[in-house]
């Protein structure tokens, strides 16, 4: 071998960085490899928030929540097809994960609402900046502080096992060094999902053939093959999530937090057609049912001011604005008169405190301040719920649920946490909690071996 360490982590998204930092802090010598020339994977793109229950940040805002309620929402969102033991970990560790990130320097003080959540539990930086970029930056800074050996442009190819079936390292391919192997007691796979691989997506769910995707180019699923070749079982592969709101112009993903903070969805006829903060599967199906298979996010300056991310969309030119709804309608091909009536009706529902039209559970603010904005949106492939099967110690298991000694998995590469449909805000929560757990378990395992 070219190198000998305790733990190799594959993938530099949130799960990989969490695993690397936690393995290091549990006494392991770590190498973190990333096949792309940039760190952060899809985690870096996450805009919504980090779901967690019973946090100090929620208490400070008088939000009543509990791990039990987060468990229930997550199971319901996943159509009860989630692995209950993994959801139990996700919800009961969520506060500790927020605290862990906060201790490392993260600001997760803003708490907003995402689809399928009974209360506000999506933690994000003050002012509503993108949570993923922030979390990845904090983890990266902490990895650098610990001198963790980070190797870019280095792909994990094959898990190497000893005759007794235990992991003994990984074959990798570096852009300059070529193929070499790293000896290690444990490997953590944190290689993310495959939403960018439309051939694979469409082979599992033909409805999604030709769909655009929100994902970074590396999200093609080669880590799943690495796991399978090592004997790991895959589960729930057919559950692939479309994110309901990609801007038609430019393909930019518009975070669910825009709706959570008050935007409504209307069709070309100027009418609302769905509870805007329902789960992603339902919102996507509803949008595809409208004329032109797209819809418009409509909001005003009060929503814009509540979420700094919105200024990014305006800067990218995907959120045209006008000082009246009629003008906005003319610009965007929406029936302006109907739109004016719809917004007036919606504002009266906000005043009454109850959405008797679509039973939207949160009505944060009326839309009547300053300019109006419209972002045309359509669903795009966003998250792959299925993946490698793991147990409650993040150990990869085979089809008979037997552990593959020394192989761990965390984050989007795994299946089971989200069932048939992931709730917004649960990805960052998943990758921090399970990344940290996988790193800790891998470090402990390597001490014994
Ligand atoms: P998660 O959200 O689960 O942390 P991400 O998508 O954020 O997942 O990150 C996964 C990272 O793993 C991406 O940066 C991706 O480029 C990288 N990756 C995927 N496959 C491999 C591989 N075979 N070897 C090394 N890195 C990989």
């Amino acid at each position: 071998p070219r190198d000998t360490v305790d733990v190799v982590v594959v993938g530099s998204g949130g799960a990989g960085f969490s695993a690397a930092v936690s393995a290091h802090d549990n006494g392991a010598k770590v190498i973190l490899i990333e096949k792309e020339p940039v760190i952060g994977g899809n985690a870096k793109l996450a805009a919504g928030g980090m779901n967690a229950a019973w946090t100090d940040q929620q208490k400070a805002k008088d939000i009543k929540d509990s791990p039990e309620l987060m468990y229930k929402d997550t199971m319901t969102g996943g159509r009860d097809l989630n692995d209950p033991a993994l959801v139990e970990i996700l919800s009961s560790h969520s506060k500790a994960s927020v605290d862990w990130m906060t201790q490392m320097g993260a600001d997760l003080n803003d708490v907003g609402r995402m689809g399928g959540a009974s209360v506000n539990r999506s933690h994000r930086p003050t002012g509503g900046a993108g949570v993923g970029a922030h979390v990845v930056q904090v983890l990266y800074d902490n990895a650098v502080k610990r001198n963790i050996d980070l190797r870019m442009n280095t792909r994990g190819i094959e898990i190497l096992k000893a005759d007794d079936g235990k992991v003994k390292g990984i074959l990798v391919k570096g852009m300059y060094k070529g193929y070499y192997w790293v000896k290690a007691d444990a490997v953590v796979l944190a290689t993310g999902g495959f939403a960018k691989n439309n051939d694979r997506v469409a082979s599992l769910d033909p409805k999604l053939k030709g769909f655009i995707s929100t994902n970074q180019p590396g999200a093609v699923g080669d880590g799943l093959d690495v796991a399978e070749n090592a004997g790991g079982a895959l589960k729930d592969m057919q559950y692939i999530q479309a994110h309901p709101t990609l801007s038609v112009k430019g393909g930019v993903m518009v975070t669910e937090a825009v709706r959570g903070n008050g935007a409504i969805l209307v069709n070309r006829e100027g009418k609302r057609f769905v509870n805007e903060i329902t789960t992603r599967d339902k919102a996507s199906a509803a949008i595809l049912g409208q004329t032109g298979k797209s819809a418009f996010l409509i909001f005003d300056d009060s929503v814009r001011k509540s979420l700094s991310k919105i200024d990014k969309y305006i800067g990218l030119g995907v959120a045209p604005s006008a000082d009246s709804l009629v003008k906005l309608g003319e610009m965007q091909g929406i029936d302006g008169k109907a739109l004016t009536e719809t917004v007036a009706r919606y504002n009266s529902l906000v005043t009454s405190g109850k959405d008797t039209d679509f039973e939207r559970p949160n009505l944060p603010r009326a839309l009547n301040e300053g300019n109006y904005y419209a972002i045309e949106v359509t669903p795009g492939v966003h998250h792959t719920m299925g993946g490698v099967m793991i147990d409650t110690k993040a150990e990869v298991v085979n089809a008979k649920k037997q552990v593959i000694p020394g192989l761990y998995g965390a984050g989007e590469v795994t299946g089971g946490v989200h069932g048939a449909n992931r709730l917004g805000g649960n990805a960052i929560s998943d990758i921090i909690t399970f990344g940290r757990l996988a790193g800790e378990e891998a470090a402990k395992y390597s001490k014994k071996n």
Side-chain angles (χ1 to χ4, degrees):
R2 192 170 198 134
D3 304 275
T4 302
V5 291
D6 301 313
V7 177
V8 174
V9 178
V10 189
S12 73
F17 268 119
S18 298
V21 168
S22 114
H24 171 94
D25 290 356
N26 282 281
K29 187 170 180 220
V30 180
I31 291 178
L32 171 58
I33 63 170
E34 166 58 53
K35 68 175 177 173
E36 298 290 318
V38 286
I39 61 155
N42 275 324
K44 201 168 58 188
L45 305 176
M50 172 172 177
N51 286 352
W54 231 10
T55 63
D56 298 341
Q57 289 85 345
Q58 285 177 314
K59 278 179 205 155
K61 294 176 169 38
D62 221 14
I63 299 164
K64 303 237 172 339
D65 196 5
S66 67
E68 292 75 22
L69 190 56
M70 178 167 166
Y71 174 93
K72 194 167 156 275
D73 287 344
T74 301
M75 292 297 295
T76 305
R79 294 185 229 131
D80 282 314
L81 292 164
N82 325 46
D83 179 333
L86 298 181
V87 180
E88 169 64 33
I89 292 175
L90 180 81
S91 38
S92 65
H93 290 217
S94 64
K95 176 189 186 308
S97 292
V98 165
D99 291 344
W100 189 59
M101 286 305 304
T102 306
Q103 279 152 21
M104 286 197 285
D107 164 9
L108 295 166
N109 288 326
D110 189 53
V111 188
R113 183 77 71 102
M114 300 280 277
S118 300
V119 298
N120 288 18
R121 69 163 71 95
S122 252
H123 297 64
R124 48 177 95 112
T126 307
V131 69
H134 178 63
V135 160
V136 167
Q137 185 68 49
V138 169
L139 287 166
Y140 172 76
D141 292 344
N142 276 274
V144 169
K145 222 183 336 186
R146 289 160 171 79
N147 275 318
I148 290 174
D149 184 345
L150 168 62
R151 300 188 186 180
M152 305 304 298
N153 298 304
T154 303
R155 180 187 295 267
I157 306 279
E158 191 185 346
I159 303 295
L160 304 168
K161 290 200 215 168
D163 293 340
D164 60 3
K166 287 184 178 170
V167 167
K168 64 170 183 181
I170 182 168
L171 176 68
V172 307
K173 187 182 183 208
M175 190 186 246
Y176 305 108
K177 292 182 187 160
Y179 288 96
Y180 62 100
W181 78 286
V182 179
K183 190 165 182 284
D185 301 316
V187 174
V188 179
L189 290 174
T191 50
F194 60 98
K196 196 71 175 180
N197 183 343
N198 195 260
D199 288 341
R200 193 164 192 165
V201 164
S203 75
L204 292 156
D205 185 349
K207 288 195 305 296
L208 299 172
K209 188 167 173 53
F211 267 51
I212 49 174
S213 165
T214 59
N215 280 207
Q216 59 99 10
V220 292
D222 44 327
L224 294 167
D225 302 331
V226 174
E228 253 196 321
N229 289 335
L234 304 186
K235 69 177 289 186
D236 295 347
M237 292 296 288
Q238 72 278 27
Y239 299 129
I240 298 170
Q241 179 174 78
H243 189 288
T245 60
L246 258 75
S247 76
V248 169
K249 232 195 215 169
V252 182
M253 187 192 79
V254 181
T255 174
E256 199 166 308
V258 176
R259 281 170 284 143
N261 282 21
I264 57 170
L265 273 171
V266 304
N267 55 23
R268 283 187 167 63
E269 292 75 30
K271 301 226 162 84
R272 287 178 73 210
F273 54 88
V274 70
N275 155 18
E276 286 83 357
I277 56 168
T278 183
T279 50
R280 289 175 170 177
D281 47 352
K282 292 188 184 137
S284 295
I287 292 171
L288 289 174
Q290 305 308 308
T291 314
K293 296 192 175 171
S294 68
F296 298 85
L297 279 168
I298 304 287
F299 54 92
D300 68 348
D301 270 325
S302 70
V303 176
R304 180 181 67 80
K305 280 185 220 145
S306 74
L307 200 69
S308 62
K309 189 87 196 166
I310 292 179
D311 286 329
K312 294 229 166 93
Y313 306 137
I314 294 172
L316 288 166
V318 302
S321 69
D323 57 12
S324 83
L325 288 163
V326 173
K327 268 193 220 158
L328 190 68
E330 258 167 38
M331 285 163 61
Q332 294 284 82
I334 311 167
D335 180 334
K337 187 166 165 278
L339 179 62
T340 308
E341 281 162 18
T342 296
V343 170
R345 163 85 187 151
Y346 176 76
N347 288 346
S348 75
L349 296 173
V350 174
T351 310
S352 77
K354 197 166 162 43
D355 178 9
T356 45
D357 293 345
F358 294 100
E359 283 169 31
R360 173 183 173 135
N362 87 329
L363 298 162
R365 42 177 68 83
L367 303 174
N368 55 16
E369 190 186 310
N371 284 323
Y372 288 102
Y373 301 81
I375 307 180
E376 186 178 359
V377 291
T378 192
V381 183
H382 184 54
H383 186 94
T384 47
M385 271 68 70
V388 183
M389 209 148 94
I390 55 166
D391 64 13
T392 53
K393 284 157 114 185
E395 297 167 303
V396 173
V397 298
N398 66 17
K400 292 181 187 150
K401 303 211 169 146
Q402 293 154 331
V403 169
I404 297 169
L407 190 58
Y408 295 80
E412 195 176 349
V413 73
T414 68
V417 176
H418 307 291
N421 176 57
R422 176 175 69 76
L423 292 186
N426 267 355
I428 296 289
S429 197
D430 171 7
I431 63 186
I432 305 293
T433 292
F434 285 92
R436 185 182 180 199
L437 178 69
E440 186 184 331
E441 291 295 336
K444 281 201 245 161
Y445 173 87
S446 99
K447 269 192 207 129
K448 285 188 279 176
N449 284 272

